[in-house]
Every structure is written in C-alpha cells, then in structure tokens.
Amino acid sequence: MSVARRSYGRLGPRARQRPDDASMASTGERKASGPATGRTPRRPAPNPPPLVSGGPRRFGTAVDPYVAALVGTVALAALLPATGGAAVAVGHTADIAIGLLFFLYGSRLSAREALDGLRGWRLHTVVVASTFVLFPVLGLAAGAVAPSLLTPQLYTGLLFLCVVPSTVQSSIAFTSTARGNVAAAICAGTYSSLLGMLLTPLLAAWLIGSTVRFSADGLLALGTQLVAPFLAGQALRRWTGGFIGRHKHSLGRLDRVSILLVVYTAFSKGMAEGIWHQVTAVRLAALLLVEAVILALALGVTSLAARRLGFGDEDRIAIVFCGSKKSLATGLPMAAALFGPRAGLAILPLMLFHQMQLAVCAFIATRWSRRPAPGSAQPGTPVAVVPADIPAGAHRV
C-alpha cells in the first residue's frame, strides 16, 4: 500500500483527476493513430494560397473599380456639367487638387533610394527609351492612318498619350505577380515620372504644336500646379514623410478623388463646347484599334530588346511592364495644365489606354507567374528514382 501511495504520489496532481469524456476520446484517438507521446499532434500547416489564381476571373473582378469610377465621372459630366459660377469654382478646386497631388508625389519620393537605384542604369535606359522615344515614334506612325480613322482632337490625345511617363503602382504590382525584379520596377517608374515632368511638356509642344499652351502662361501654369508643389514636397519630406507613410491608404483615396475631380472639370468644359458631337461609336472603335496596335508593338519591342541586350528573365519582366505602360495619375493633371479648356478629348485616349493596359498586362503577368522556378524540373521531365534499400551505386551497371 505504501509503495502504491508513493508511486501514486509521484504521478502528480493530474493523475489524481478523473479523466473526462473529452480526454478519454482524445486518448483513444491517439492510440488509434499511433503510440502516445504525451503531446497533441500538430496539424500540418495549410499550403499558402497561390499568388495568382489560375482559375477563370469573374466579370466583377475583371473591371478595375477605379476605371469604373472614371466612367461614372464622365457620365456625370455629360449629364450634369458644371456651368457658370459652378464651373469657375470647380476649376479652382481642381487646380488646388492637382497641386496637392504633386505635393504628395514629392513627399513620397525618397531621393536616397532614387540615387541608389542608378546602379541599374542599363535597365532604366531601356525603359526611358521605350517611354519617350518608342511611343512617340509609334504615335507619329499612327498619323499615317489618323485622317481616315480619327478626328484631329482624338489624334491630338493619342499623341499626348505617347509622351506621358510610365506608371509606378501597376508596374510594380504586375512585376511582382510575374516574379520579376520589383526593385528595378520601382526605380524605373520613379525615374520615368521625374523625367516626364520635363520631357512630357517638351515632347507635347514638339509633336502637337499649337494645341498645347506652351507659352509663358502655359509654363507658369505648369510650374505653379506641378513643379512647385513637387519640389515643396521634396523639401518638406523630412517632416511630412512619416505622416504620409502612416496614412498612405487614406491619402491614396485623396489622390484618386483629385484625379476624378480633374476628369469632371475637363469633360464639363468639353460638354460646354459641344465636343461630344464630334465623337461617334465608329471613331471610338478606331481609336481602340490603334491603341491596341501601339500597345502590342510596345510589349513586343521591349521584350525583344531586353532579350537582345542580355537581360535575365526578372529584368526583362520589369522592362516589359514599365516600358509599355502609361500613367493615368500623372497624365491627367498634366493634360489639364497643358491643354486648359480643350483637355476634354485630349484625355479620352489616355483613359481608354489605361483600362486596356491593365487587362492585357494582367493576363501576361498571370501567364508568366506560372513559369517554373529557376532550377526546377520541367513538367514531363523523367526523374530517376532509386529505392531506399538499394545501396548507393548499386543501380549502376
């Protein structure tokens, strides 16, 4: 009895407790599954979801919500355009919104990171050449068929589209999805936006001519609405960078609201001038066809150039996505500053191209994301399997 008490006491207080039904059931499960170890077996961690779903996309997710908001804004301007004193108030509000937009651009840009990215100068040179050389050449080549397909106002907007800098956010997203060089995509988009503040007005004045307000008043409007707020954001970044980083989601909504206000202002002025009577369904279809050809050529040329120049797959992906896209967020405020009251039809080609590039690049990024990782076996490649009970080298003849 004393031995039993001593052994019973050594079992600890848990052994004195009567096991309940749950513990008995768990014990039975452990016995059924294998020897008891005193530990609850861990369930295997679920596999992480794939980066890009390979299944069919629903119609609701195929349309960018921001593009839907842009279409709704255009419809609102067509039904309820701002006129009279309301048009003046909306115009001043849009100017303030553009200045705030470029102030946020300047506050977000890290000069140190931009300088560090110059080490990949070959890649950035290809992206800049595609954005500000290849696209303008394609735009000029489209002038051969423009008289029979497009109105002069739509062709002006097409030329402006070709001189707009590359986008940043969507280029990074597509490069990441396709497992490309994301750091290079960030730097390439940043450099393109910076150069676009200088090259876009110069190229627009050269290609488009008198339609652009490239006069003293136009330069003053460009400087006060775009360049000055951007430089102010850079100068104050030391104090504003942390706040902007903590509230980037809320400020991102403010960016989009500002752009929607610019679109509403431009199309309201266009409605007052009756520009929509010059656009027909046939003209819009022709514009989409021309833009599809330009996008296809840009994608093909950037991919071929990256291969011929010896870039790897990750760098080639960044070059293709950064060198074939145009920034709606930067292009719309620039159009408002450069074209003034005539910005209505000038921004329509850019808006259509934006949705087209999102759809096409999303499809390409999904396809490229399924490529096998470097060093992995290709599907269908025979793999030699040696049984574990055969000594090493015994299968050789």
Side-chain angles (χ1 to χ4, degrees), residues 43-347:
R43 295 180 179 180
N47 294 327
L51 185 61
V52 176
S53 175
R57 299 179 63 183
R58 295 181 179 178
F59 176 78
T61 60
V63 179
D64 185 9
Y66 185 46
V67 175
L70 287 171
V71 174
T73 303
V74 173
L76 179 63
L79 297 175
L80 298 173
T83 58
V88 176
V90 171
H92 290 315
T93 306
D95 293 340
I96 296 174
I98 292 173
L100 179 61
L101 190 66
F102 276 81
F103 176 82
L104 294 176
Y105 289 165
S107 299
R108 291 172 182 146
L109 177 62
S110 174
R112 178 177 299 177
E113 293 177 0
L115 292 176
D116 291 342
L118 287 176
R119 288 175 294 183
W121 61 270
R122 292 180 64 249
L123 185 148
H124 306 318
T125 301
V126 176
V127 173
V128 170
S130 174
T131 304
F132 298 111
V133 178
L134 174 62
F135 265 95
V137 170
L138 294 177
L140 291 175
V145 297
S148 59
L149 296 178
L150 306 176
T151 63
Q153 292 80 5
L154 289 178
Y155 182 61
T156 297
L158 183 68
L159 285 178
F160 176 73
L161 156 71
C162 292
V163 300
V164 170
S166 177
T167 184
V168 180
Q169 287 87 354
S170 55
S171 296
I172 296 171
F174 290 135
T175 303
S176 176
T177 299
R179 304 203 310 269
N181 191 340
V182 177
I186 295 174
C187 294
T190 301
Y191 298 147
S192 179
S193 298
L194 290 176
L195 290 175
M197 298 184 67
L198 174 64
L199 294 180
T200 296
L202 293 176
L203 290 173
W206 176 46
L207 296 178
I208 302 174
S210 59
T211 308
V212 178
R213 297 190 303 171
F214 201 75
S215 58
D217 295 337
L219 290 178
L220 180 62
L222 189 66
T224 55
Q225 294 183 24
L226 306 182
V227 180
F230 179 84
L231 295 178
Q234 273 287 287
L236 298 176
R237 188 180 184 276
R238 178 179 178 183
W239 297 277
T240 60
F243 175 82
I244 292 176
R246 291 191 301 270
H247 300 84
K248 59 182 180 180
H249 297 292
S250 300
L251 294 176
R253 298 190 190 98
L254 181 61
D255 288 355
R256 298 193 168 195
V257 171
S258 301
I259 295 174
L260 293 177
L261 184 59
V262 172
V263 172
Y264 177 76
T265 304
F267 278 92
S268 292
K269 294 177 181 178
M271 288 298 298
E273 297 177 0
I275 61 174
W276 288 110
H277 298 291
Q278 308 171 16
V279 181
T280 62
V282 176
R283 298 290 188 182
L284 287 178
L287 176 62
L288 288 173
L289 177 61
V290 173
E291 290 186 343
V293 173
I294 291 177
L295 179 60
L297 290 175
L299 290 169
V301 171
T302 51
S303 180
L304 180 61
R307 290 183 183 276
R308 292 294 180 87
L309 294 175
F311 288 99
D313 287 342
E314 294 184 354
D315 290 341
R316 181 176 63 89
I317 291 171
I319 290 173
V320 169
F321 286 133
C322 294
S324 62
K325 302 172 89 284
K326 293 295 182 177
S327 174
L328 186 70
T330 305
L332 292 184
M334 285 187 172
L338 291 174
F339 293 97
R342 295 170 292 183
L345 284 183
I347 65 177

